Amino acid sequence: MAPIEKVEGRAIPFGLKNVDTDVIIPAKWLKTISREGLGKGAFETLRADPNNLFDQPEYRQAPILIAGDNFGCGSSREHAAWALGDLGIRVVIAPSYSDIFSGNAVKNGILPVVLPQSAIDRLMEVAATDPIHVDLDTQTVTTPFQDRFTFDIDPFRKMCLLNGLDEISLTEKSDAAIAAHEQMIAKTQPWLTPTLA
Amino acid sequence: MTRPRTLYEKIWDAHVVEQRPDGTCLIFIDRHLVHEVTSPQAFAGLRASGRTVRRPDLTLAVPDHNLPTTARKDAAGNRLPIADMESAAQLAALETNAPDFGIRYIDATAAEQGIVHVVGPEQGFSLPGTTIVCGDSHTACHGGIGALAFGIGTSEVEHVLATQTLLLQPAKTMEVRVEGEVGPGVTAKDIILHITGTIGAAGGTGHVIEYTGSTIRALSVEGRLTVSNMAIEGGARAGLIAPDATTIAYLKGRPYAPKGADWDAAVAYWTSLATDPGATYDKTVVIDAADIAPSVTWGTSPEDVVPITGTVPAPDSFADPSKQAAAAKSLAYMGLEPGTRMQDVRIENIFIGSCTNSRIEDLRAAAAVLKGRHKAANVKWAIVVPGSGLVKAQAEAEGLDRIFTDAGLEWREPGCSACLGMNPDKVPAGERCASTSNRNFVGRQGPGSRTHLVSPAMAAAAAVTGRLTDVRELID
Ligand code: SF4
């Protein structure tokens, strides 16, 4: 998982409220076998409109998405985070998220920034013409026009994102303890390791 | 002296690798069963991060969810292609991923192929006292042989593949004690349906349920797997039944079971696992076996259980207003009127199969009812899907397949089939199915499908009469 510290670039001024995971990635994409390529399915219904925001030249590859309240509600599918990541999104900025979505986002190296609606409104304005700068270390979002918004984030999530640690990487820090358990089993319960007669 | 402990606590304690300050534990996983639907992205994640499978020797892969249950080979023995492209891609992914990561793989056409939860115990891969995970919610099934078994999601599948551990919060313990002898026509499925109806679909939330009592002790391992399979329908995280002489006799000589001196050591350990006298559970429910009738569900929650002699309940017969609303919705979906006798409900489809009820004992029970009889004219679709190739071979050796086909039922290849509406075996919208599977959720057997959960013997009885039927009328 790629670490996140500073992200600068265009932000998609999306702004919709109550965007559910079925809008982020429709159910028909759930039968796929990889995580890559899901970006194609991201916001598929909205992108059926040729004038959609996501496919405007200035927002292609934009690393930031600005959204409305309750982003990522609905089904718990982790595909939503995979699809955003595959689309190139590293940061989402919204007034609130569904718990499951923000958890899945962090697990997949996407920073969910929470800012009040007034800040969102201002960022939407800026995003129409200029880039936005997000700094996780200082927990700030800034614009070329001297706007400066600070955000809160759970220290554990911040640490994971700054270091690019997913849950597996965290568990890998316990490697010695896992190895000790394996050795103990090999000694005391060797029959636990399956062998074909 | 150490504090008396329950079966759950003993297994849990033996698997704690590390405890975090918030009480979460890193739990070592002894067995990981992998199938084609929930694993592709997990393997893709491993590849993307350059990780390997930590313990391929503790992992067993077998396709089951998506596989069509029609013939897998043509007359010349060549493998037949799968028409649905996504299913074919998921199967192909597993076929590549297993050897790439050094995992044991049972091929779709192998004699040992079957539903993961049937294959695990049958191969002796699932053992008492172990921790088992699989990316399927009915992994609780393996609790029937005394294993602590959890269903997990795709991210967790990847976590277990990479680290052979899972982060878990300790569960509370619940005892469901069933005492006494069951009446005629009452099977393990009726016992678990009755339990689910009694404790409710959320009755076991946050708990691991241990099933105890003389009724449970008297069950075969097949029956115990049926009971524990549906622990999840009672909201529990897992189910457990203490390993005993019945369990040990079942496992002896199975392909992956310990052998020789190892076997003796294993048996000694398994025998030590039973809940200590004096150990306490957070919650206990006691059920009298005499109260259990052949049972059937009327709604879209597994707690919607009545005896086959009962009637469809009126929504206002429930005290809880949210249950009243849910019941009204269920009845509208199921197309049922309050007060209708369950035995008057006509059935168009019969499904005998799934990891709940596709073992040899289940097929024998269904065949005993169907022998010398024929399905009713209004039953349009009736299939029997054995849980594994080995169950299929055994059933054929006993002539059960002939009893089914003579009765007008189809005899299929092993797999999950109509349990989940993900492969071609589906129940048409608006039609009813007497099903031996475990979930009667809206759309579970296909969009608009109406499921009545029953035992294999009851499904067979419904096939004969074309309506939900008290199997006791057909047996003596
Ligand atoms: S039969 Fe149904 S519950 Fe069992 S493993 Fe297959 S899909 Fe899951």
Side-chain angles (χ1 to χ4, degrees):
Chain A
M1 206 170 92
I4 291 193
E5 197 198 335
K6 293 179 173 54
V7 176
E8 182 169 65
R10 292 305 294 267
I12 307 170
F14 181 45
L16 271 190
K17 288 191 207 302
N18 296 316
V19 170
D20 64 44
T21 51
D22 200 55
V23 171
I24 301 174
I25 183 87
K28 72 168 219 233
W29 290 84
L30 304 190
K31 262 194 148 186
T32 55
I33 54 169
S34 85
R35 293 179 187 191
E36 292 85 54
L38 284 174
K40 262 198 286 167
F43 302 104
E44 190 180 40
T45 350
L46 302 173
R47 284 162 74 193
D49 172 359
N51 296 321
N52 77 84
L53 265 182
F54 299 93
D55 292 315
Q56 299 309 309
E58 65 267 41
Y59 297 123
R60 279 221 199 108
Q61 303 301 317
I64 303 170
L65 177 72
I66 307 176
D69 248 329
N70 199 23
F71 186 75
C73 55
S75 119
S76 64
R77 64 188 69 156
E78 197 171 342
H79 299 67
W82 298 340
L84 290 179
D86 196 56
L87 197 63
I89 304 291
R90 305 296 323 271
V91 180
V92 185
I93 307 176
S96 67
Y97 302 87
S98 88
D99 284 346
I100 292 178
F101 173 81
S102 59
N104 283 339
V106 172
K107 266 197 229 168
N108 288 282
I110 296 172
L111 166 63
V113 171
V114 178
L115 286 178
Q117 189 61 47
S118 55
I120 300 287
D121 293 343
R122 170 62 189 150
L123 290 172
M124 292 275 288
E125 243 171 57
V126 174
T129 50
D130 286 86
I132 281 173
H133 186 99
V134 179
D135 187 326
L136 175 56
D137 194 31
T138 59
Q139 298 178 210
T140 55
V141 178
T142 51
T143 72
F145 308 102
Q146 313 308 315
D147 301 287
R148 187 171 189 280
F149 305 104
T150 57
F151 61 89
D152 283 334
I153 182 167
D154 170 83
F156 180 73
R157 286 186 168 185
K158 179 176 178 178
M159 185 277 286
C160 291
L161 287 166
L162 279 175
N163 297 299
L165 288 179
D166 52 23
E167 281 181 0
I168 296 178
S169 319
L170 285 168
T171 300
E172 282 169 345
K173 291 183 188 290
S174 302
D175 186 66
I178 300 171
H181 185 91
E182 287 174 325
Q183 278 152 23
M184 186 266 291
I185 286 178
K187 225 161 85 200
T188 60
Q189 299 180 319
W191 48 267
L192 252 181
T193 308
T195 43
L196 263 187
Chain B
M1 226 198 86
T2 49
R3 183 180 65 85
R5 289 180 302 165
T6 62
L7 168 61
Y8 166 74
E9 290 165 317
K10 290 183 192 183
I11 302 179
W12 177 268
D13 291 351
H15 290 85
V16 175
V17 171
E18 238 174 40
Q19 186 164 5
R20 303 272 149 90
D22 68 348
T24 310
C25 290
L26 194 62
I27 293 294
F28 191 77
I29 302 302
D30 296 319
R31 298 288 188 267
H32 187 183
L33 295 159
V34 174
H35 63 82
E36 77 279 25
V37 171
T38 49
S39 67
Q41 269 108 352
F43 285 114
L46 290 184
R47 274 204 188 86
S49 55
R51 292 188 171 102
T52 54
V53 174
R54 183 180 179 102
R55 295 295 302 271
D57 57 332
L58 302 183
T59 313
L60 179 67
V62 58
D64 58 0
H65 279 59
N66 268 344
L67 286 185
T69 57
T70 43
R72 303 212 167 116
K73 291 188 209 166
D74 65 14
N78 301 314
R79 235 172 93 171
L80 291 166
I82 295 178
D84 178 61
M85 278 175 46
E86 275 124 356
S87 300
Q90 288 187 329
L91 178 65
L94 188 58
E95 276 172 353
T96 321
N97 286 328
D100 278 6
F101 288 92
I103 294 169
R104 289 184 177 97
Y105 178 63
I106 300 178
D107 183 78
T109 57
E112 296 81 11
Q113 182 270 338
I115 306 171
V116 274
H117 309 315
V118 174
V119 170
E122 186 175 78
Q123 290 294 316
F125 189 74
S126 310
L127 295 175
T130 57
T131 47
I132 302 180
V133 296
C134 174
D136 176 274
S137 48
H138 290 86
T139 309
C141 191
H142 307 262
I145 55 159
L148 184 58
F150 301 101
I152 56 177
T154 297
S155 309
E156 290 167 309
V157 169
E158 184 180 342
H159 191 276
V160 175
L161 287 171
T163 68
Q164 204 57 35
T165 62
L166 200 58
L167 275 165
L168 290 169
Q169 286 279 348
K172 290 192 228 138
T173 54
M174 175 168 177
E175 178 189 28
V176 173
R177 195 190 320 149
V178 192
E179 297 283 4
E181 232 174 274
V182 294
V186 175
T187 67
K189 182 62 163 288
D190 303 293
I191 296 173
I192 190 61
L193 285 174
H194 182 89
I195 290 172
T196 312
T198 307
I199 68 173
T205 304
H207 292 74
V208 166
I209 298 179
E210 181 180 344
Y211 302 94
T212 66
S214 61
T215 318
I216 302 292
R217 296 260 70 85
L219 290 174
S220 65
V221 167
E222 284 87 348
R224 296 174 186 190
L225 293 165
T226 300
V227 168
S228 197
N229 182 279
M230 290 184 66
I232 204 89
E233 268 58 57
R237 294 205 199 152
L240 276 173
I241 294 171
D244 60 8
T246 306
T247 323
I248 290 162
Y250 171 90
L251 287 169
K252 189 159 182 142
R254 303 232 165 225
Y256 289 103
K259 309 272 163 3
D262 277 349
W263 171 257
D264 298 334
V267 167
Y269 178 68
W270 298 338
T271 316
S272 75
L273 289 172
T275 293
D276 295 326
T280 52
Y281 300 89
D282 294 305
K283 203 160 144 182
T284 293
V285 172
V286 182
I287 288 173
D288 183 348
D291 293 340
I292 308 176
S295 299
V296 56
T297 60
W298 52 266
T300 55
S301 162
E303 69 181 15
D304 297 339
V305 176
V306 283
I308 181 64
T309 49
T311 55
V312 176
D316 61 16
S317 66
F318 297 98
D320 172 11
S322 70
K323 181 68 197 176
Q324 290 177 359
K329 246 175 109 179
S330 276
L331 290 185
Y333 179 81
M334 294 296 290
L336 290 172
E337 290 297 327
T340 306
R341 285 169 12 109
M342 290 313 295
Q343 296 183 76
D344 292 338
V345 175
R346 286 168 68 85
I347 295 290
E348 298 86 30
N349 303 276
I350 305 287
F351 171 54
I352 299 174
S354 89
C355 58
T356 317
N357 281 130
S358 61
R359 297 174 188 84
I360 190 68
E361 184 177 281
D362 302 313
L363 303 187
R364 285 180 191 141
V369 175
L370 286 163
K371 190 167 185 171
R373 296 190 168 109
H374 199 271
K375 76 174 172 66
N378 63 307
V379 172
K380 299 195 288 191
W381 190 66
I383 59 170
V384 185
V385 187
S388 71
L390 297 180
V391 170
K392 182 170 186 256
Q394 174 71 30
E396 288 172 357
E398 296 179 19
L400 305 184
D401 58 322
R402 289 297 305 276
I403 297 177
F404 295 131
T405 50
D406 287 352
L409 282 72
E410 293 174 46
W411 179 240
R412 296 292 191 93
E413 296 296 320
C416 293
S417 186
C419 173
L420 84 169
M422 202 176 219
N423 52 63
D425 300 343
K426 291 187 183 75
V427 175
E431 292 188 12
R432 292 179 197 287
C433 182
S435 175
T436 66
S437 54
N438 43 47
R439 283 195 166 152
N440 53 350
F441 294 169
V442 168
R444 170 78 177 184
Q445 295 192 288
S449 59
R450 294 167 169 169
T451 304
H452 294 279
L453 299 176
V454 289
S455 76
M458 287 279 286
V464 170
T465 63
R467 53 179 175 80
L468 293 173
T469 297
D470 191 337
V471 64
R472 291 170 293 197
E473 291 168 9
L474 299 185
I475 53 176
D476 18 53

